[in-house]
Amino acid sequence: NFIGFVSNVSSGGLTRKCVKSFRSHSDFPCVGGAIPAFITGIGWSDHWSFWQEGYPALMVTDTAPFRYEHYHQPTDTIDKITFNHFAQVVAGLENVILDITQ
């Protein structure tokens, strides 16, 4: 029911820019946070490698590991996807990418 933009503190500017862009292009709820990297889960994706090299980076997440009982389970099947929400997020992210690369 929402998408999150999560980064470490030093990538906070990128996070704010992405959240602002997403909100200007989509009505789908989103939250954002620049959080200390030592907090569990903040570095659980590919963006962590960019931080290690000094690049700003963030994770776009639905926080599934914390609130979706089927995450990485055999029961995590295609019928669980809410396709209209998925499409809204993808369309919003497309515009975020266009905004931050111009």
Side-chain angles (χ1 to χ4, degrees):
N1 58 358
F2 72 92
I3 198 75
F5 293 81
V6 180
S7 73
N8 62 0
V9 174
S10 65
S11 297
L14 175 62
T15 301
R16 286 186 295 278
K17 188 174 183 179
C18 289
V19 167
K20 181 179 178 181
S21 173
F22 189 88
R23 288 178 177 163
S24 74
H25 295 291
S26 178
D27 292 330
F28 195 81
C30 77
V31 296
I35 302 164
F38 66 83
I39 302 294
T40 301
I42 300 304
W44 282 358
S45 196
D46 300 334
H47 60 291
W48 178 87
S49 301
F50 290 90
W51 296 345
Q52 300 311 299
E53 297 300 322
Y55 293 102
L58 58 81
M59 169 175 51
V60 180
T61 178
D62 64 357
T63 66
F66 299 107
R67 61 189 190 118
Y68 178 61
E69 66 181 306
H70 305 287
Y71 184 73
H72 284 195
Q73 300 297 316
T75 55
D76 190 7
T77 54
I78 197 164
D79 60 296
K80 309 281 188 321
I81 297 173
T82 308
F83 284 99
N84 63 327
H85 291 172
F86 187 81
Q88 286 178 292
V89 171
V90 170
L93 290 175
E94 176 185 18
N95 285 296
V96 169
I97 292 165
L98 291 172
D99 283 352
I100 68 171
T101 58
Q102 295 180 12

